Amino acid sequence: MIWHIFKKDWKLIWIFVAVVAASQAITEFVLAKARVSDDSPMITLLAQNLPTGMIFFMMFLIAAIVLLDAIPGLRQDWLIRPIPRRDLLLEKLLFTVIAVEGPIFLANLVLGLASGFSLRSVLLVSAERVLYLLFFLVLPIFAFASVTKNMTEAFIFACGFAFLIAVFGTFADYLNTNANRTLTPTLYTGIGWMGELTRFAIVLVAAAVILRFQYFFRKTFLSRALVFFFGFLAFVSLFLPWRPAFAIEERLSPDPAAAKNLSLAFHSQIGRYQPPSGVNNSMYPGEGRDADVFLPLRVSGMHSGDTLITDHGEARLFGSGGKLVYHGSIFGIEVDKAGLTATGEDRHQKITLPASLYKQLQGQPVQAKLDYSFTLFSLSKSYAIPAIGGDERMPGVGWCQTKLNDAGTAVTMKCMMAEKGPTCGGIFLENPSQGTQNPEGFGCYPEYTPYSARPLDDAFRRWVARVSFRDPNGLAKYPVDGPQLPQSRLVIRLYQPLAHFTRSVVIPQLKLGDWQPR
Amino acid sequence: MIQVQDLHKKFRRFEALRGLSFSVPQGSAFALIGANGAGKTTIIKILTNILEPTSGRANLLGVDSRKLSPRELVQIGYVSENQDMPARLTVAEYVDYLRPFYPSWDRDLERETLRQLRLPPERKIGDLSHGMRLKMALLCALPYRPKLLLLDEPFSGLDPLVRDEFMEGLLKQAGEMTILISSHELGEIDGVATDIGFLDEGKLLFQESMAELNGRFREVRVTLAHEAAPPAQVPKDWLGLQAMGNVVTFVETSFDEKRFGEFVRSRLGEVRAINSQPMSLRSIFTTLARAARDSAAA
């Protein structure tokens, strides 16, 4: 009977489905234009806003499909018909997946193939997006809509739910700030995918339980309570503790032995931190609400060509008698021994303390313990593309095109990928005929998901790099500048994670006042 | 066919049904009558498992209403004034949709009922008038020849012509069906119902066959030889007793032709004439409703 009910729903809602499908096609088209060739402000604006609008549009469509045969209520004719509930539920799920995700899948498939990607990679990213949307959007909204009578009620409930999320979010933010940002350690980090997978698991269990109670037993009150319960559980998953999550990531390291010899130690001979000129003094002790101290550290055991980034860091200070007087997260250190601008291995670890606490502790001996979770990267691939008019396909980088920006100050490279984007990379201009190179721009976006990262808006990754060769103010001079561009090329270097690991530094005794910046 | 035992239903603090028990024999046409808010619709919603009882049991076709499955639902027809069907489907499309769910669906009967009810197959359900929607509900309830037909206020808001068409359509196909009909339109139940249950504020005041009910209710007018005065103790079977001049009127609720004259004389004294008339269902209902209201006020 699934197909029979499907045909009935199609008759009732095909116009809405067609409108959403057309909107999805337009959105994909705009994204495709913005990805590679079009810089117009209108296309950019549409590319930024249409995907979010589509999410809301899809939410309405999912709710509309479910509410064609609403579960709560006393007047629906279908309730007294011998319609097998299992068939009805499966039909709704099938219809939702086809109507909401089908056009997205098709659009991604067509655009991916039209962009010259292989059928296998396009199928993979399109399927991955469909799966992601299923957990992120379809199942939660489906379960949510099943506990409402009609669209008005669904809208009111959604507003109430959004309000609760905002209240909880504000409350969590307040708690997190009070706990020096140690309560939601995994959020927006490279291992944030574990919290995300936890939430997907919660969504799956919630949908299974709620839909079973609704479709087979019509327990609307209980199901509504469960919506809030699982919503709360998803909220709690934001507080996923760092240590166990990172321990899993350590086990997933491609080459754990690579970091075996890497060590980190307090090295007082490095001396106090010298801030760069022009920095606002209000960040220093006594001037504001916070006070910064900089502890000198030396990293050793890194190979040339490696890059080290901190995924997470926490500082603890112990007063007399070993009493914990401060616990907070720290922006960790980064050591780049790769590329043209490789830096040394000495670093200062900044710790931001409440000014009142600093004043109280600055003259006293304290013990400090710094806990780090690191990822070590090594150079994996290197490519070159003509600086102007380049059009190349590079594994791990994607399909890229280069051109001069409108101001004539930088080369813009736009890339589109049918796979997960690079985590760390460097890019610079090089003129091989003259042997000159510009400084390398280096950046990391720690993201260790085993799947393509968050393909909510778009199945394809796209990224843009702007490489300057002229300073409009005339302050900086580049070795490779405008006239050399026709003979120059952009060099792209990709770095892949080798090992995730932890290190701790214990400083038995120090005076915070000794480590103010100069 | 239907057994209801000690059924309670609460909506928060409001008790819609208060320990209701009744049974509907197979092949009967059971009319559940009562004023608005008496609990008629609540019972039918419980019987169809649209609502769950707070306590008690309701069995249909030998199954607890809470456990009704498609196996039982193919044998149950349901017509209600509050029945939401897909407004954007046409009459024909919705009938086409329902047909495969019922193995016993009779297409000839469907065509016959459609013709008899004079429903336009191409018109969208959302564009049908109230009366036409009720006929539509009947069209969707009859062609599979249900063993049990539940009609919830089926005459509400129907004009006489549509009502006649509806009743004609129903009675022609009634056959061996057991019918439970809830209504406060008593004129329409007269001549249809074989059994009746009178519901007041969630309680069933009585249940009996129409024949017995018609037999025991009489509108009585007694002309006395003297100035009438109400007896010191009014028999409990006499309702709405009034005295004016030498005439006493009341409703006898346990009429027994053989003993009635003698009993009246024993209570009222010398009697010149006794005139007892059978009552319409409407009059019986009105009398009982007034008595219930008066006793509640007392």
Side-chain angles (χ1 to χ4, degrees):
Chain A
M1 285 296 169
I2 293 172
W3 179 236
H4 183 65
I5 306 169
F6 190 99
K7 284 190 287 184
K8 183 265 295 179
D9 281 357
W10 177 254
K11 273 181 196 159
L12 287 170
I13 209 168
W14 71 269
I15 295 178
F16 194 5
V17 173
V19 169
V20 173
S23 311
Q24 283 165 339
I26 291 168
T27 305
E28 294 299 329
F29 175 74
V30 167
L31 285 175
K33 289 262 304 170
R35 249 172 229 145
V36 177
S37 56
D38 204 322
D39 269 338
S40 73
M42 178 55 83
I43 288 288
T44 309
L45 194 71
L46 285 173
Q48 282 167 353
N49 295 304
L50 275 181
T52 312
M54 276 315 303
I55 298 286
F56 283 102
F57 219 9
M58 286 191 278
M59 284 163 75
F60 274 109
L61 179 58
I62 297 165
I65 292 165
V66 174
L67 293 171
L68 285 177
D69 295 289
I71 310 284
L74 306 173
R75 299 163 64 118
Q76 302 93 303
D77 183 68
W78 78 269
L79 291 174
I80 47 91
R81 302 290 169 192
I83 299 173
R85 300 289 172 91
R86 188 182 58 94
D87 288 5
L88 185 70
L89 174 59
L90 291 176
E91 182 275 334
K92 293 283 173 223
L93 282 170
L94 183 71
F95 196 99
T96 309
V97 168
I98 290 175
V100 176
E101 304 208 83
I104 295 177
F105 183 80
L106 275 179
N108 287 155
L109 206 61
V110 170
L111 284 169
L113 292 174
S115 301
F117 293 107
S118 70
L119 178 64
R120 187 178 171 277
S121 62
V122 173
L123 273 176
L124 206 65
V125 287
S126 304
E128 209 170 45
R129 186 176 183 208
V130 163
L131 207 62
Y132 192 89
L133 282 171
L134 182 72
F135 285 104
F136 189 86
L137 191 74
V138 174
L139 284 179
I141 301 297
F142 193 106
F144 188 85
S146 77
V147 302
T148 61
K149 264 186 223 170
N150 49 45
M151 201 55 104
T152 312
E153 197 177 85
F155 185 72
I156 292 168
F157 272 33
C159 288
F161 207 69
F163 177 75
L164 275 183
I165 289 172
V167 168
F168 275 120
T170 309
F171 182 61
D173 205 33
Y174 169 77
L175 289 179
N176 203 23
T177 306
N178 276 357
N180 300 311
R181 295 173 297 280
T182 53
L183 287 184
T184 55
T186 61
L187 215 56
Y188 309 120
T189 68
I191 61 168
W193 64 272
M194 288 188 206
E196 191 170 70
L197 275 192
T198 309
R199 283 185 284 286
F200 284 170
I202 291 169
V203 163
L204 193 65
V205 173
V209 172
I210 291 168
L211 293 177
R212 182 173 164 73
F213 274 123
Q214 275 301 79
Y215 275 85
F216 296 98
F217 304 105
R218 289 185 79 231
K219 299 280 185 192
T220 300
F221 184 79
L222 176 65
S223 298
R224 285 178 180 174
L226 285 170
V227 166
F228 285 99
F229 170 73
F230 283 111
F232 181 73
L233 219 54
F235 173 74
V236 169
S237 73
L238 298 177
F239 299 90
L240 188 69
W242 181 268
R243 278 168 187 264
F246 196 76
I248 295 171
E249 192 64 59
E250 278 184 78
R251 285 175 176 269
L252 297 174
S253 294
D255 181 10
K260 207 169 65 180
N261 297 324
L262 199 145
S263 65
L264 183 70
F266 179 67
H267 204 71
S268 59
Q269 287 88 336
I270 297 169
R272 287 162 66 182
Y273 177 64
Q274 170 75 57
S277 60
V279 174
N280 187 342
N281 279 336
S282 66
M283 64 186 283
Y284 298 114
E287 297 287 328
R289 289 168 59 201
D290 295 331
D292 296 334
V293 291
F294 292 82
L295 303 182
L297 301 176
R298 174 160 288 174
V299 182
S300 55
M302 274 181 73
H303 299 110
S304 174
D306 287 350
T307 288
L308 180 74
I309 67 162
T310 305
D311 291 305
H312 180 70
E314 287 187 15
R316 288 179 178 78
L317 298 177
F318 301 90
S320 58
K323 188 186 169 199
L324 181 70
V325 290
Y326 175 78
H327 176 209
S329 68
I330 48 177
F331 289 105
I333 54 175
E334 198 168 289
V335 181
D336 174 17
K337 288 196 73 179
L340 305 174
T341 51
T343 53
E345 294 172 319
D346 292 341
R347 291 288 180 276
H348 282 92
Q349 175 60 61
K350 182 170 97 170
I351 303 174
T352 302
L353 300 168
S356 56
L357 181 67
Y358 173 78
K359 278 179 187 165
Q360 184 191 327
L361 295 176
Q362 61 178 328
Q364 298 174 19
V366 293
Q367 188 193 63
K369 182 165 188 270
L370 307 175
D371 291 308
Y372 291 96
S373 299
F374 288 123
T375 297
L376 185 68
F377 290 82
S378 73
L379 182 69
S380 66
K381 285 170 189 156
S382 187
Y383 300 100
I385 179 172
I388 305 291
D391 188 334
E392 304 274 342
R393 290 175 189 276
M394 298 167 277
V397 182
W399 172 31
C400 301
Q401 292 177 329
T402 56
K403 65 176 190 176
L404 198 63
N405 71 348
D406 291 342
T409 55
V411 170
T412 303
M413 182 172 78
K414 283 190 167 186
C415 298
M416 173 182 173
M417 304 177 71
E419 57 190 300
K420 193 185 162 197
T423 310
C424 273
I427 188 165
F428 60 91
L429 266 172
E430 176 186 72
N431 184 347
S433 58
Q434 294 194 2
T436 48
Q437 292 171 331
N438 285 355
E440 183 181 25
F442 185 83
C444 280
Y445 178 64
E447 179 59 80
Y448 312 129
T449 50
Y451 47 90
S452 287
R454 299 177 183 89
L456 183 62
D457 296 346
D458 192 359
F460 302 95
R461 307 289 88 67
R462 60 189 176 119
W463 55 281
V464 180
R466 286 184 184 82
V467 185
S468 296
F469 59 84
R470 180 182 299 143
D471 177 11
N473 300 316
L475 294 174
K477 182 129 181 74
Y478 292 87
V480 181
D481 58 6
Q484 296 179 50
L485 286 183
Q487 301 86 47
S488 302
R489 58 186 195 172
L490 274 180
V491 177
I492 304 131
R493 289 177 164 172
L494 299 184
Y495 299 83
Q496 290 301 323
L498 280 184
H500 307 283
F501 59 99
T502 56
R503 292 289 183 271
S504 291
V505 178
V506 178
I507 309 163
Q509 197 169 39
L510 63 90
K511 272 189 193 165
L512 294 176
D514 294 342
W515 299 106
Q516 289 175 24
R518 283 183 205 150
Chain B
M1 186 60 78
I2 296 176
Q3 287 89 35
V4 172
Q5 281 180 330
D6 196 24
L7 202 64
H8 288 260
K9 179 65 189 175
K10 269 187 175 181
F11 296 101
R12 295 205 174 101
R13 285 183 185 174
F14 173 67
E15 200 167 7
L17 299 180
R18 299 185 286 176
L20 200 69
S21 299
F22 67 92
S23 61
V24 177
Q26 191 167 354
S28 64
F30 189 97
L32 208 51
I33 60 171
N36 289 331
K40 304 183 296 290
T41 297
T42 305
I43 293 171
I44 292 187
K45 299 279 185 203
I46 288 174
L47 288 172
T48 48
N49 196 24
I50 293 174
L51 275 176
E52 256 192 65
T54 307
S55 64
R57 286 171 67 92
N59 278 23
L60 305 83
L61 304 158
V63 176
D64 190 316
S65 65
R66 282 167 288 210
K67 292 177 180 163
L68 284 181
S69 69
R71 203 179 330 146
E72 288 80 38
L73 288 171
V74 292
Q75 304 175 63
I76 299 172
Y78 173 77
V79 176
S80 166
E81 60 167 339
N82 301 313
Q83 202 167 344
D84 283 347
M85 288 176 267
R88 288 194 296 277
L89 288 186
T90 64
V91 169
E93 282 172 339
Y94 195 51
V95 171
D96 287 345
Y97 172 64
L98 292 180
R99 201 179 296 123
F101 292 111
Y102 296 93
S104 60
W105 191 283
D106 183 338
R107 291 204 70 161
D108 291 335
L109 180 55
E110 172 201 316
R111 276 189 283 269
E112 166 69 13
T113 313
L114 185 69
R115 188 194 55 73
Q116 197 182 348
L117 293 173
R118 296 195 295 158
L119 279 165
E122 73 292 344
R123 193 174 301 175
K124 289 201 167 150
I125 294 171
D127 295 338
L128 296 177
S129 66
H130 174 72
M132 278 184 153
R133 272 188 224 186
L134 267 173
K135 288 201 283 184
M136 173 72 196
L138 191 64
L139 170 68
C140 297
L142 293 179
Y144 52 95
R145 300 182 193 281
K147 284 185 181 166
L148 175 63
L149 184 62
L150 303 170
L151 304 167
D152 184 15
E153 299 278 6
F155 312 112
S156 173
L158 294 190
D159 64 57
L161 184 66
V162 176
R163 203 156 49 203
D164 286 351
E165 284 172 353
F166 183 95
M167 284 309 293
E168 204 179 318
L170 172 64
L171 292 174
K172 270 203 173 179
Q173 310 305 339
E176 299 297 308
M177 270 190 286
T178 303
I179 299 174
L180 174 67
I181 182 166
S182 85
S183 182
H184 59 272
E185 302 280 338
L186 300 158
E188 277 64 25
I189 287 167
D190 241 346
V192 178
T194 58
D195 294 78
I196 198 156
F198 180 75
L199 201 63
D200 183 57
E201 293 186 345
K203 278 185 177 173
L204 195 69
L205 296 188
F206 64 82
Q207 172 195 352
E208 63 188 304
S209 72
M210 282 294 280
E212 283 173 12
L213 191 73
N214 283 329
R216 75 181 176 91
F217 274 83
R218 285 292 183 277
E219 206 164 30
V220 180
R221 182 186 168 93
V222 182
T223 309
L224 301 173
H226 50 83
E227 190 75 9
Q233 205 172 5
V234 178
K236 64 177 175 50
D237 296 335
W238 292 5
L239 300 178
L241 186 131
Q242 286 184 325
M244 194 177 285
N246 63 340
V247 176
V248 175
T249 58
F250 60 90
V251 171
E252 167 61 80
T253 61
S254 303
F255 184 71
D256 181 345
E257 197 165 10
K258 286 177 189 165
R259 293 165 44 197
F260 184 62
E262 192 183 327
F263 184 69
V264 169
R265 284 185 191 89
S266 71
R267 291 299 175 120
L268 297 177
E270 197 178 338
V271 170
R272 278 191 192 158
I274 300 174
N275 182 11
S276 62
Q277 295 290 329
M279 293 172 72
S280 68
L281 190 57
R282 177 184 293 277
S283 303
I284 294 171
F285 172 72
T286 312
T287 307
L288 288 171
R290 273 197 198 125
R293 190 190 59 199
D294 293 346
S295 71

